[in-house]
Amino acid sequence: MARPRERNVVLLGAPGSGKGTQAERIVARYGLPHISTGDMLRAAVAGGTETGREAKRYMDAGELVPDEVVIGCVRERLAEGDTGDGFLLDGFPRTIDQAERLDALLADAGRGLTHVIQLDVPEDELVERLAGRRLCRVCGKGYHVVFDPPAREGVCDVCGGELYQRADDDEATVRNRLAVYRAQTEPLVEYYRGRGILHTASGGGKLPDEVFERVTEILDGAAS
Ligand code: AP5
């Protein structure tokens, strides 16, 4: 059960649906700690840790990293002191097993999720978005070469860092990531609908700030 005013939020959506883009805005508006399992795993890969070495081959193929590995990362991160007033999970859970384990973890602490926000985007748009995505090597800010370009090509507006393309954003890997999403993650929509905490924000064909308006309505309680 959530404590009063806690926002314990999950962002749910296919690869490229805008989870990271909306997470940046949610963090800026609500001050929630951003817990992205994709970012945590990429940091582990870059750091050459044991978790990173195990995760890399799954990530490169567009497959899910084993539940046990990811749940361990999330359990440790949720135990840190900054999550007491809420948190924003991005890219987790991604399987029913992960969702059930998260429920149990939170219940043990007398807590529960308050909002699951599904970003709903048509599949053809997802491929276009991922093909044009660029990220800053230094601060991690995301861009799109057409929909959200930096002022200077290849250079981050915020810190001047170099922009790069993620290794798993090539078309074949993207197609597999989308298939994995449909098979293993999409069942979570019904899982959370059944718990009465699912909210859907249409994200297709819209500017990120327009999607964010809908997200804020949900988080401020003005949308069902
Ligand atoms: P992860 O890093 O979580 O990747 P993902 O879920 O595939 O999602 P993306 O980061 O690709 O997309 P996004 O929804 O954040 O979109 P974005 O905002 O960037 O996971 C990577 C891998 O790690 C997985 O494949 C798996 O191997 C592993 N992993 C992670 N978590 C795991 C877990 N729980 N269990 C097991 N394995 C796990 O937007 C995309 C582009 O579109 C950007 O260029 C953006 O500028 C643009 N854009 C965004 N919104 C809009 C809009 N409204 N209009 C136009 N363009 C937009």
PDB file of all heavy atoms in Angstrom, residues 14-21 37-38 41-42 59 63-65 70 91-92 94 98 129-130 133 143-144 147 166 177 206-208 211, ligand 1:
ATOM      1  N   ALA A  14       6.848   0.081 -25.398  1.00  0.00           N
ATOM      2  CA  ALA A  14       7.759  -0.612 -26.312  1.00  0.00           C
ATOM      3  C   ALA A  14       9.063   0.172 -26.453  1.00  0.00           C
ATOM      4  O   ALA A  14       9.117   1.361 -26.137  1.00  0.00           O
ATOM      5  CB  ALA A  14       7.074  -0.741 -27.672  1.00  0.00           C
ATOM      6  N   PRO A  15      10.114  -0.480 -26.970  1.00  0.00           N
ATOM      7  CA  PRO A  15      11.326   0.241 -27.302  1.00  0.00           C
ATOM      8  C   PRO A  15      10.987   1.427 -28.204  1.00  0.00           C
ATOM      9  O   PRO A  15      10.262   1.274 -29.197  1.00  0.00           O
ATOM     10  CB  PRO A  15      12.155  -0.801 -28.073  1.00  0.00           C
ATOM     11  CG  PRO A  15      11.666  -2.112 -27.576  1.00  0.00           C
ATOM     12  CD  PRO A  15      10.208  -1.924 -27.262  1.00  0.00           C
ATOM     13  N   GLY A  16      11.471   2.611 -27.853  1.00  0.00           N
ATOM     14  CA  GLY A  16      11.221   3.796 -28.676  1.00  0.00           C
ATOM     15  C   GLY A  16       9.913   4.504 -28.388  1.00  0.00           C
ATOM     16  O   GLY A  16       9.585   5.510 -29.022  1.00  0.00           O
ATOM     17  N   SER A  17       9.151   4.028 -27.404  1.00  0.00           N
ATOM     18  CA  SER A  17       7.844   4.658 -27.128  1.00  0.00           C
ATOM     19  C   SER A  17       8.007   5.994 -26.400  1.00  0.00           C
ATOM     20  O   SER A  17       7.034   6.738 -26.262  1.00  0.00           O
ATOM     21  CB  SER A  17       6.958   3.710 -26.307  1.00  0.00           C
ATOM     22  OG  SER A  17       7.603   3.365 -25.096  1.00  0.00           O
ATOM     23  N   GLY A  18       9.224   6.284 -25.925  1.00  0.00           N
ATOM     24  CA  GLY A  18       9.459   7.589 -25.297  1.00  0.00           C
ATOM     25  C   GLY A  18       9.592   7.521 -23.787  1.00  0.00           C
ATOM     26  O   GLY A  18       9.475   8.543 -23.108  1.00  0.00           O
ATOM     27  N   LYS A  19       9.930   6.343 -23.260  1.00  0.00           N
ATOM     28  CA  LYS A  19      10.062   6.214 -21.799  1.00  0.00           C
ATOM     29  C   LYS A  19      11.164   7.136 -21.269  1.00  0.00           C
ATOM     30  O   LYS A  19      10.961   7.881 -20.310  1.00  0.00           O
ATOM     31  CB  LYS A  19      10.358   4.750 -21.411  1.00  0.00           C
ATOM     32  CG  LYS A  19       9.270   3.775 -21.837  1.00  0.00           C
ATOM     33  CD  LYS A  19       9.557   2.350 -21.381  1.00  0.00           C
ATOM     34  CE  LYS A  19      10.795   1.725 -21.972  1.00  0.00           C
ATOM     35  NZ  LYS A  19      10.769   1.551 -23.451  1.00  0.00           N
ATOM     36  N   GLY A  20      12.336   7.073 -21.906  1.00  0.00           N
ATOM     37  CA  GLY A  20      13.453   7.904 -21.455  1.00  0.00           C
ATOM     38  C   GLY A  20      13.153   9.393 -21.640  1.00  0.00           C
ATOM     39  O   GLY A  20      13.481  10.216 -20.779  1.00  0.00           O
ATOM     40  N   THR A  21      12.504   9.721 -22.751  1.00  0.00           N
ATOM     41  CA  THR A  21      12.171  11.127 -23.047  1.00  0.00           C
ATOM     42  C   THR A  21      11.205  11.672 -22.005  1.00  0.00           C
ATOM     43  O   THR A  21      11.377  12.786 -21.493  1.00  0.00           O
ATOM     44  CB  THR A  21      11.538  11.189 -24.458  1.00  0.00           C
ATOM     45  OG1 THR A  21      12.469  10.641 -25.405  1.00  0.00           O
ATOM     46  CG2 THR A  21      11.182  12.607 -24.847  1.00  0.00           C
ATOM     47  N   THR A  37      16.499   0.487 -15.834  1.00  0.00           N
ATOM     48  CA  THR A  37      17.315  -0.737 -15.841  1.00  0.00           C
ATOM     49  C   THR A  37      18.209  -0.780 -17.078  1.00  0.00           C
ATOM     50  O   THR A  37      19.328  -1.280 -17.009  1.00  0.00           O
ATOM     51  CB  THR A  37      16.433  -1.999 -15.753  1.00  0.00           C
ATOM     52  OG1 THR A  37      15.308  -1.860 -16.620  1.00  0.00           O
ATOM     53  CG2 THR A  37      15.965  -2.236 -14.343  1.00  0.00           C
ATOM     54  N   GLY A  38      17.742  -0.207 -18.196  1.00  0.00           N
ATOM     55  CA  GLY A  38      18.595  -0.146 -19.390  1.00  0.00           C
ATOM     56  C   GLY A  38      19.855   0.661 -19.110  1.00  0.00           C
ATOM     57  O   GLY A  38      20.968   0.236 -19.424  1.00  0.00           O
ATOM     58  N   LEU A  41      22.161  -1.237 -16.739  1.00  0.00           N
ATOM     59  CA  LEU A  41      22.864  -2.345 -17.407  1.00  0.00           C
ATOM     60  C   LEU A  41      23.946  -1.818 -18.344  1.00  0.00           C
ATOM     61  O   LEU A  41      25.049  -2.361 -18.401  1.00  0.00           O
ATOM     62  CB  LEU A  41      21.866  -3.229 -18.169  1.00  0.00           C
ATOM     63  CG  LEU A  41      20.904  -4.025 -17.276  1.00  0.00           C
ATOM     64  CD1 LEU A  41      19.754  -4.617 -18.099  1.00  0.00           C
ATOM     65  CD2 LEU A  41      21.640  -5.142 -16.536  1.00  0.00           C
ATOM     66  N   ARG A  42      23.647  -0.708 -19.061  1.00  0.00           N
ATOM     67  CA  ARG A  42      24.682  -0.134 -19.952  1.00  0.00           C
ATOM     68  C   ARG A  42      25.880   0.361 -19.133  1.00  0.00           C
ATOM     69  O   ARG A  42      27.025   0.232 -19.549  1.00  0.00           O
ATOM     70  CB  ARG A  42      24.093   0.989 -20.807  1.00  0.00           C
ATOM     71  CG  ARG A  42      23.350   0.466 -22.050  1.00  0.00           C
ATOM     72  CD  ARG A  42      22.873   1.589 -22.952  1.00  0.00           C
ATOM     73  NE  ARG A  42      21.781   2.328 -22.360  1.00  0.00           N
ATOM     74  CZ  ARG A  42      20.503   1.956 -22.380  1.00  0.00           C
ATOM     75  NH1 ARG A  42      20.152   0.837 -23.005  1.00  0.00           N
ATOM     76  NH2 ARG A  42      19.564   2.664 -21.797  1.00  0.00           N
ATOM     77  N   MET A  59      21.765  -8.019 -24.403  1.00  0.00           N
ATOM     78  CA  MET A  59      21.432  -6.671 -24.888  1.00  0.00           C
ATOM     79  C   MET A  59      21.806  -6.511 -26.357  1.00  0.00           C
ATOM     80  O   MET A  59      21.038  -5.957 -27.141  1.00  0.00           O
ATOM     81  CB  MET A  59      22.134  -5.614 -24.041  1.00  0.00           C
ATOM     82  CG  MET A  59      21.666  -5.648 -22.595  1.00  0.00           C
ATOM     83  SD  MET A  59      22.601  -4.552 -21.538  1.00  0.00           S
ATOM     84  CE  MET A  59      21.829  -2.986 -21.916  1.00  0.00           C
ATOM     85  N   GLU A  63      17.617  -9.228 -26.694  1.00  0.00           N
ATOM     86  CA  GLU A  63      16.871 -10.132 -25.803  1.00  0.00           C
ATOM     87  C   GLU A  63      16.843  -9.551 -24.391  1.00  0.00           C
ATOM     88  O   GLU A  63      17.661  -8.695 -24.052  1.00  0.00           O
ATOM     89  CB  GLU A  63      17.557 -11.509 -25.745  1.00  0.00           C
ATOM     90  CG  GLU A  63      17.630 -12.237 -27.064  1.00  0.00           C
ATOM     91  CD  GLU A  63      16.274 -12.725 -27.545  1.00  0.00           C
ATOM     92  OE1 GLU A  63      15.399 -12.994 -26.695  1.00  0.00           O
ATOM     93  OE2 GLU A  63      16.092 -12.830 -28.777  1.00  0.00           O
ATOM     94  N   LEU A  64      15.939 -10.049 -23.560  1.00  0.00           N
ATOM     95  CA  LEU A  64      15.901  -9.592 -22.171  1.00  0.00           C
ATOM     96  C   LEU A  64      17.026 -10.243 -21.370  1.00  0.00           C
ATOM     97  O   LEU A  64      17.319 -11.438 -21.542  1.00  0.00           O
ATOM     98  CB  LEU A  64      14.566  -9.942 -21.516  1.00  0.00           C
ATOM     99  CG  LEU A  64      13.331  -9.239 -22.079  1.00  0.00           C
ATOM    100  CD1 LEU A  64      12.104  -9.584 -21.237  1.00  0.00           C
ATOM    101  CD2 LEU A  64      13.518  -7.732 -22.157  1.00  0.00           C
ATOM    102  N   VAL A  65      17.625  -9.469 -20.499  1.00  0.00           N
ATOM    103  CA  VAL A  65      18.609  -9.976 -19.552  1.00  0.00           C
ATOM    104  C   VAL A  65      17.841 -10.826 -18.527  1.00  0.00           C
ATOM    105  O   VAL A  65      16.689 -10.504 -18.206  1.00  0.00           O
ATOM    106  CB  VAL A  65      19.331  -8.768 -18.893  1.00  0.00           C
ATOM    107  CG1 VAL A  65      20.243  -9.192 -17.770  1.00  0.00           C
ATOM    108  CG2 VAL A  65      20.093  -7.973 -19.958  1.00  0.00           C
ATOM    109  N   VAL A  70      18.397  -8.605 -13.274  1.00  0.00           N
ATOM    110  CA  VAL A  70      17.765  -7.278 -13.267  1.00  0.00           C
ATOM    111  C   VAL A  70      17.104  -7.003 -11.917  1.00  0.00           C
ATOM    112  O   VAL A  70      17.210  -5.905 -11.365  1.00  0.00           O
ATOM    113  CB  VAL A  70      16.716  -7.207 -14.403  1.00  0.00           C
ATOM    114  CG1 VAL A  70      16.120  -5.824 -14.465  1.00  0.00           C
ATOM    115  CG2 VAL A  70      17.353  -7.554 -15.728  1.00  0.00           C
ATOM    116  N   GLY A  91      11.528   0.963 -17.825  1.00  0.00           N
ATOM    117  CA  GLY A  91      12.041  -0.277 -18.429  1.00  0.00           C
ATOM    118  C   GLY A  91      12.025  -1.456 -17.475  1.00  0.00           C
ATOM    119  O   GLY A  91      12.573  -2.510 -17.792  1.00  0.00           O
ATOM    120  N   PHE A  92      11.411  -1.295 -16.346  1.00  0.00           N
ATOM    121  CA  PHE A  92      11.257  -2.374 -15.359  1.00  0.00           C
ATOM    122  C   PHE A  92       9.914  -2.187 -14.669  1.00  0.00           C
ATOM    123  O   PHE A  92       9.597  -1.056 -14.283  1.00  0.00           O
ATOM    124  CB  PHE A  92      12.376  -2.333 -14.313  1.00  0.00           C
ATOM    125  CG  PHE A  92      12.266  -3.429 -13.279  1.00  0.00           C
ATOM    126  CD1 PHE A  92      12.898  -4.642 -13.475  1.00  0.00           C
ATOM    127  CD2 PHE A  92      11.488  -3.246 -12.130  1.00  0.00           C
ATOM    128  CE1 PHE A  92      12.775  -5.658 -12.528  1.00  0.00           C
ATOM    129  CE2 PHE A  92      11.363  -4.269 -11.200  1.00  0.00           C
ATOM    130  CZ  PHE A  92      12.014  -5.471 -11.399  1.00  0.00           C
ATOM    131  N   ARG A  94       9.591  -5.939 -16.878  1.00  0.00           N
ATOM    132  CA  ARG A  94       9.430  -6.273 -18.289  1.00  0.00           C
ATOM    133  C   ARG A  94       8.891  -7.683 -18.495  1.00  0.00           C
ATOM    134  O   ARG A  94       8.718  -8.111 -19.638  1.00  0.00           O
ATOM    135  CB  ARG A  94      10.796  -6.206 -18.968  1.00  0.00           C
ATOM    136  CG  ARG A  94      11.032  -4.958 -19.761  1.00  0.00           C
ATOM    137  CD  ARG A  94      12.483  -5.017 -20.222  1.00  0.00           C
ATOM    138  NE  ARG A  94      12.664  -4.356 -21.463  1.00  0.00           N
ATOM    139  CZ  ARG A  94      13.204  -3.135 -21.555  1.00  0.00           C
ATOM    140  NH1 ARG A  94      13.525  -2.456 -20.495  1.00  0.00           N
ATOM    141  NH2 ARG A  94      13.393  -2.614 -22.740  1.00  0.00           N
ATOM    142  N   GLN A  98       9.030 -10.456 -13.168  1.00  0.00           N
ATOM    143  CA  GLN A  98       9.604  -9.227 -12.595  1.00  0.00           C
ATOM    144  C   GLN A  98       8.533  -8.419 -11.873  1.00  0.00           C
ATOM    145  O   GLN A  98       8.775  -7.857 -10.800  1.00  0.00           O
ATOM    146  CB  GLN A  98      10.252  -8.371 -13.690  1.00  0.00           C
ATOM    147  CG  GLN A  98      11.526  -8.964 -14.275  1.00  0.00           C
ATOM    148  CD  GLN A  98      12.161  -8.078 -15.342  1.00  0.00           C
ATOM    149  OE1 GLN A  98      11.840  -6.903 -15.482  1.00  0.00           O
ATOM    150  NE2 GLN A  98      13.075  -8.653 -16.116  1.00  0.00           N
ATOM    151  N   ARG A 129      11.650   6.193 -34.927  1.00  0.00           N
ATOM    152  CA  ARG A 129      12.205   6.906 -33.770  1.00  0.00           C
ATOM    153  C   ARG A 129      13.554   6.352 -33.363  1.00  0.00           C
ATOM    154  O   ARG A 129      14.492   7.094 -33.075  1.00  0.00           O
ATOM    155  CB  ARG A 129      11.257   6.784 -32.576  1.00  0.00           C
ATOM    156  CG  ARG A 129      10.036   7.657 -32.688  1.00  0.00           C
ATOM    157  CD  ARG A 129       9.300   7.555 -31.391  1.00  0.00           C
ATOM    158  NE  ARG A 129       8.043   8.269 -31.431  1.00  0.00           N
ATOM    159  CZ  ARG A 129       7.277   8.440 -30.372  1.00  0.00           C
ATOM    160  NH1 ARG A 129       7.645   7.938 -29.207  1.00  0.00           N
ATOM    161  NH2 ARG A 129       6.157   9.099 -30.472  1.00  0.00           N
ATOM    162  N   LEU A 130      13.653   5.012 -33.323  1.00  0.00           N
ATOM    163  CA  LEU A 130      14.908   4.414 -32.841  1.00  0.00           C
ATOM    164  C   LEU A 130      16.031   4.607 -33.852  1.00  0.00           C
ATOM    165  O   LEU A 130      17.181   4.832 -33.471  1.00  0.00           O
ATOM    166  CB  LEU A 130      14.697   2.930 -32.525  1.00  0.00           C
ATOM    167  CG  LEU A 130      13.795   2.701 -31.305  1.00  0.00           C
ATOM    168  CD1 LEU A 130      13.477   1.220 -31.138  1.00  0.00           C
ATOM    169  CD2 LEU A 130      14.429   3.244 -30.037  1.00  0.00           C
ATOM    170  N   ARG A 133      17.430   8.064 -33.225  1.00  0.00           N
ATOM    171  CA  ARG A 133      17.806   8.462 -31.859  1.00  0.00           C
ATOM    172  C   ARG A 133      19.312   8.707 -31.747  1.00  0.00           C
ATOM    173  O   ARG A 133      20.127   7.953 -32.275  1.00  0.00           O
ATOM    174  CB  ARG A 133      17.405   7.378 -30.871  1.00  0.00           C
ATOM    175  CG  ARG A 133      17.959   7.674 -29.470  1.00  0.00           C
ATOM    176  CD  ARG A 133      17.332   6.876 -28.401  1.00  0.00           C
ATOM    177  NE  ARG A 133      17.463   5.440 -28.605  1.00  0.00           N
ATOM    178  CZ  ARG A 133      16.873   4.548 -27.833  1.00  0.00           C
ATOM    179  NH1 ARG A 133      16.096   4.929 -26.847  1.00  0.00           N
ATOM    180  NH2 ARG A 133      17.030   3.266 -28.068  1.00  0.00           N
ATOM    181  N   TYR A 143      18.199  12.712 -28.029  1.00  0.00           N
ATOM    182  CA  TYR A 143      17.741  13.572 -29.131  1.00  0.00           C
ATOM    183  C   TYR A 143      17.165  12.688 -30.228  1.00  0.00           C
ATOM    184  O   TYR A 143      17.319  11.465 -30.206  1.00  0.00           O
ATOM    185  CB  TYR A 143      18.916  14.364 -29.735  1.00  0.00           C
ATOM    186  CG  TYR A 143      19.556  15.323 -28.772  1.00  0.00           C
ATOM    187  CD1 TYR A 143      20.587  14.909 -27.925  1.00  0.00           C
ATOM    188  CD2 TYR A 143      19.140  16.646 -28.705  1.00  0.00           C
ATOM    189  CE1 TYR A 143      21.177  15.793 -27.040  1.00  0.00           C
ATOM    190  CE2 TYR A 143      19.726  17.539 -27.816  1.00  0.00           C
ATOM    191  CZ  TYR A 143      20.740  17.113 -26.995  1.00  0.00           C
ATOM    192  OH  TYR A 143      21.305  17.990 -26.119  1.00  0.00           O
ATOM    193  N   HIS A 144      16.523  13.323 -31.215  1.00  0.00           N
ATOM    194  CA  HIS A 144      16.161  12.627 -32.448  1.00  0.00           C
ATOM    195  C   HIS A 144      16.566  13.521 -33.602  1.00  0.00           C
ATOM    196  O   HIS A 144      16.308  14.729 -33.559  1.00  0.00           O
ATOM    197  CB  HIS A 144      14.662  12.328 -32.489  1.00  0.00           C
ATOM    198  CG  HIS A 144      14.301  11.418 -33.618  1.00  0.00           C
ATOM    199  ND1 HIS A 144      14.137  11.871 -34.912  1.00  0.00           N
ATOM    200  CD2 HIS A 144      14.107  10.072 -33.654  1.00  0.00           C
ATOM    201  CE1 HIS A 144      13.843  10.836 -35.689  1.00  0.00           C
ATOM    202  NE2 HIS A 144      13.823   9.735 -34.951  1.00  0.00           N
ATOM    203  N   PHE A 147      12.901  14.700 -35.073  1.00  0.00           N
ATOM    204  CA  PHE A 147      11.832  15.163 -34.166  1.00  0.00           C
ATOM    205  C   PHE A 147      12.333  16.051 -33.028  1.00  0.00           C
ATOM    206  O   PHE A 147      11.579  16.827 -32.461  1.00  0.00           O
ATOM    207  CB  PHE A 147      11.090  13.959 -33.553  1.00  0.00           C
ATOM    208  CG  PHE A 147      10.569  12.995 -34.583  1.00  0.00           C
ATOM    209  CD1 PHE A 147      10.836  11.640 -34.472  1.00  0.00           C
ATOM    210  CD2 PHE A 147       9.800  13.448 -35.646  1.00  0.00           C
ATOM    211  CE1 PHE A 147      10.366  10.743 -35.422  1.00  0.00           C
ATOM    212  CE2 PHE A 147       9.330  12.546 -36.598  1.00  0.00           C
ATOM    213  CZ  PHE A 147       9.614  11.196 -36.484  1.00  0.00           C
ATOM    214  N   ARG A 166      23.017   4.243 -30.232  1.00  0.00           N
ATOM    215  CA  ARG A 166      23.119   3.025 -29.429  1.00  0.00           C
ATOM    216  C   ARG A 166      23.335   1.799 -30.319  1.00  0.00           C
ATOM    217  O   ARG A 166      22.743   1.689 -31.388  1.00  0.00           O
ATOM    218  CB  ARG A 166      21.826   2.846 -28.612  1.00  0.00           C
ATOM    219  CG  ARG A 166      22.044   3.018 -27.133  1.00  0.00           C
ATOM    220  CD  ARG A 166      20.785   3.131 -26.376  1.00  0.00           C
ATOM    221  NE  ARG A 166      19.949   1.931 -26.412  1.00  0.00           N
ATOM    222  CZ  ARG A 166      18.822   1.803 -25.727  1.00  0.00           C
ATOM    223  NH1 ARG A 166      18.411   2.794 -24.947  1.00  0.00           N
ATOM    224  NH2 ARG A 166      18.102   0.712 -25.799  1.00  0.00           N
ATOM    225  N   ARG A 177      13.823  -6.570 -30.675  1.00  0.00           N
ATOM    226  CA  ARG A 177      13.396  -5.958 -29.403  1.00  0.00           C
ATOM    227  C   ARG A 177      11.875  -5.769 -29.396  1.00  0.00           C
ATOM    228  O   ARG A 177      11.224  -5.970 -28.360  1.00  0.00           O
ATOM    229  CB  ARG A 177      14.110  -4.614 -29.196  1.00  0.00           C
ATOM    230  CG  ARG A 177      15.572  -4.771 -28.803  1.00  0.00           C
ATOM    231  CD  ARG A 177      16.382  -3.515 -29.019  1.00  0.00           C
ATOM    232  NE  ARG A 177      15.911  -2.376 -28.269  1.00  0.00           N
ATOM    233  CZ  ARG A 177      16.197  -1.106 -28.577  1.00  0.00           C
ATOM    234  NH1 ARG A 177      16.950  -0.839 -29.632  1.00  0.00           N
ATOM    235  NH2 ARG A 177      15.739  -0.133 -27.836  1.00  0.00           N
ATOM    236  N   LYS A 206       2.965  12.596 -31.782  1.00  0.00           N
ATOM    237  CA  LYS A 206       2.851  13.788 -30.937  1.00  0.00           C
ATOM    238  C   LYS A 206       4.228  14.256 -30.508  1.00  0.00           C
ATOM    239  O   LYS A 206       5.148  13.456 -30.368  1.00  0.00           O
ATOM    240  CB  LYS A 206       2.038  13.465 -29.694  1.00  0.00           C
ATOM    241  CG  LYS A 206       0.609  13.082 -30.013  1.00  0.00           C
ATOM    242  CD  LYS A 206      -0.257  13.249 -28.792  1.00  0.00           C
ATOM    243  CE  LYS A 206      -1.715  13.115 -29.153  1.00  0.00           C
ATOM    244  NZ  LYS A 206      -2.334  11.981 -28.522  1.00  0.00           N
ATOM    245  N   LEU A 207       4.338  15.525 -30.265  1.00  0.00           N
ATOM    246  CA  LEU A 207       5.602  16.051 -29.751  1.00  0.00           C
ATOM    247  C   LEU A 207       5.786  15.594 -28.308  1.00  0.00           C
ATOM    248  O   LEU A 207       4.791  15.429 -27.583  1.00  0.00           O
ATOM    249  CB  LEU A 207       5.592  17.571 -29.806  1.00  0.00           C
ATOM    250  CG  LEU A 207       5.530  18.159 -31.215  1.00  0.00           C
ATOM    251  CD1 LEU A 207       5.293  19.651 -31.158  1.00  0.00           C
ATOM    252  CD2 LEU A 207       6.809  17.826 -31.969  1.00  0.00           C
ATOM    253  N   PRO A 208       7.034  15.405 -27.870  1.00  0.00           N
ATOM    254  CA  PRO A 208       7.264  14.954 -26.492  1.00  0.00           C
ATOM    255  C   PRO A 208       6.552  15.819 -25.449  1.00  0.00           C
ATOM    256  O   PRO A 208       6.016  15.306 -24.474  1.00  0.00           O
ATOM    257  CB  PRO A 208       8.783  15.030 -26.354  1.00  0.00           C
ATOM    258  CG  PRO A 208       9.295  14.798 -27.737  1.00  0.00           C
ATOM    259  CD  PRO A 208       8.294  15.441 -28.658  1.00  0.00           C
ATOM    260  N   VAL A 211       2.896  14.865 -25.217  1.00  0.00           N
ATOM    261  CA  VAL A 211       2.730  13.611 -24.466  1.00  0.00           C
ATOM    262  C   VAL A 211       2.877  13.897 -22.968  1.00  0.00           C
ATOM    263  O   VAL A 211       2.126  13.378 -22.136  1.00  0.00           O
ATOM    264  CB  VAL A 211       3.763  12.551 -24.938  1.00  0.00           C
ATOM    265  CG1 VAL A 211       3.622  11.267 -24.122  1.00  0.00           C
ATOM    266  CG2 VAL A 211       3.605  12.274 -26.428  1.00  0.00           C
TER     267      VAL A 211
HETATM  268  P1  AP5 B   1      16.204  -0.009 -22.473  1.00  0.00           P
HETATM  269  O1  AP5 B   1      17.364   0.890 -22.403  1.00  0.00           O
HETATM  270  O2  AP5 B   1      15.183   0.035 -21.391  1.00  0.00           O
HETATM  271  O3  AP5 B   1      15.565   0.168 -23.902  1.00  0.00           O
HETATM  272  P2  AP5 B   1      14.057   0.034 -24.475  1.00  0.00           P
HETATM  273  O4  AP5 B   1      12.994  -0.374 -23.544  1.00  0.00           O
HETATM  274  O5  AP5 B   1      14.257  -0.796 -25.679  1.00  0.00           O
HETATM  275  O6  AP5 B   1      13.644   1.464 -24.704  1.00  0.00           O
HETATM  276  P3  AP5 B   1      14.448   2.568 -25.411  1.00  0.00           P
HETATM  277  O7  AP5 B   1      15.439   3.170 -24.463  1.00  0.00           O
HETATM  278  O8  AP5 B   1      15.004   2.052 -26.709  1.00  0.00           O
HETATM  279  O9  AP5 B   1      13.303   3.594 -25.801  1.00  0.00           O
HETATM  280  P4  AP5 B   1      12.488   4.637 -24.949  1.00  0.00           P
HETATM  281  O10 AP5 B   1      11.110   4.139 -24.758  1.00  0.00           O
HETATM  282  O11 AP5 B   1      13.246   5.081 -23.730  1.00  0.00           O
HETATM  283  O12 AP5 B   1      12.428   5.803 -26.017  1.00  0.00           O
HETATM  284  P5  AP5 B   1      13.193   7.200 -26.060  1.00  0.00           P
HETATM  285  O13 AP5 B   1      12.613   8.131 -25.049  1.00  0.00           O
HETATM  286  O14 AP5 B   1      14.675   7.029 -26.073  1.00  0.00           O
HETATM  287  O15 AP5 B   1      16.695  -1.536 -22.544  1.00  0.00           O
HETATM  288  C1  AP5 B   1      17.770  -1.928 -23.379  1.00  0.00           C
HETATM  289  C2  AP5 B   1      18.074  -3.411 -23.171  1.00  0.00           C
HETATM  290  O16 AP5 B   1      18.454  -3.642 -21.799  1.00  0.00           O
HETATM  291  C3  AP5 B   1      16.911  -4.374 -23.417  1.00  0.00           C
HETATM  292  O17 AP5 B   1      16.782  -4.713 -24.774  1.00  0.00           O
HETATM  293  C4  AP5 B   1      17.317  -5.561 -22.526  1.00  0.00           C
HETATM  294  O18 AP5 B   1      18.311  -6.342 -23.167  1.00  0.00           O
HETATM  295  C5  AP5 B   1      17.943  -4.894 -21.338  1.00  0.00           C
HETATM  296  N1  AP5 B   1      16.962  -4.619 -20.251  1.00  0.00           N
HETATM  297  C6  AP5 B   1      16.592  -3.393 -19.777  1.00  0.00           C
HETATM  298  N2  AP5 B   1      15.673  -3.524 -18.803  1.00  0.00           N
HETATM  299  C7  AP5 B   1      15.454  -4.858 -18.660  1.00  0.00           C
HETATM  300  C8  AP5 B   1      14.583  -5.615 -17.818  1.00  0.00           C
HETATM  301  N3  AP5 B   1      13.748  -5.038 -16.936  1.00  0.00           N
HETATM  302  N4  AP5 B   1      14.614  -6.971 -17.938  1.00  0.00           N
HETATM  303  C9  AP5 B   1      15.446  -7.576 -18.800  1.00  0.00           C
HETATM  304  N5  AP5 B   1      16.282  -6.911 -19.633  1.00  0.00           N
HETATM  305  C10 AP5 B   1      16.282  -5.557 -19.558  1.00  0.00           C
HETATM  306  O19 AP5 B   1      12.713   7.722 -27.507  1.00  0.00           O
HETATM  307  C11 AP5 B   1      13.198   7.108 -28.698  1.00  0.00           C
HETATM  308  C12 AP5 B   1      13.437   8.199 -29.766  1.00  0.00           C
HETATM  309  O20 AP5 B   1      12.180   8.794 -30.121  1.00  0.00           O
HETATM  310  C13 AP5 B   1      14.329   9.352 -29.284  1.00  0.00           C
HETATM  311  O21 AP5 B   1      15.185   9.715 -30.328  1.00  0.00           O
HETATM  312  C14 AP5 B   1      13.345  10.474 -28.930  1.00  0.00           C
HETATM  313  O22 AP5 B   1      13.930  11.752 -29.168  1.00  0.00           O
HETATM  314  C15 AP5 B   1      12.187  10.211 -29.898  1.00  0.00           C
HETATM  315  N6  AP5 B   1      10.902  10.548 -29.321  1.00  0.00           N
HETATM  316  C16 AP5 B   1      10.485  10.288 -28.045  1.00  0.00           C
HETATM  317  N7  AP5 B   1       9.225  10.726 -27.857  1.00  0.00           N
HETATM  318  C17 AP5 B   1       8.824  11.262 -29.058  1.00  0.00           C
HETATM  319  C18 AP5 B   1       7.615  11.858 -29.518  1.00  0.00           C
HETATM  320  N8  AP5 B   1       6.552  12.015 -28.726  1.00  0.00           N
HETATM  321  N9  AP5 B   1       7.546  12.253 -30.813  1.00  0.00           N
HETATM  322  C19 AP5 B   1       8.606  12.100 -31.635  1.00  0.00           C
HETATM  323  N10 AP5 B   1       9.779  11.551 -31.252  1.00  0.00           N
HETATM  324  C20 AP5 B   1       9.889  11.134 -29.980  1.00  0.00           C
END
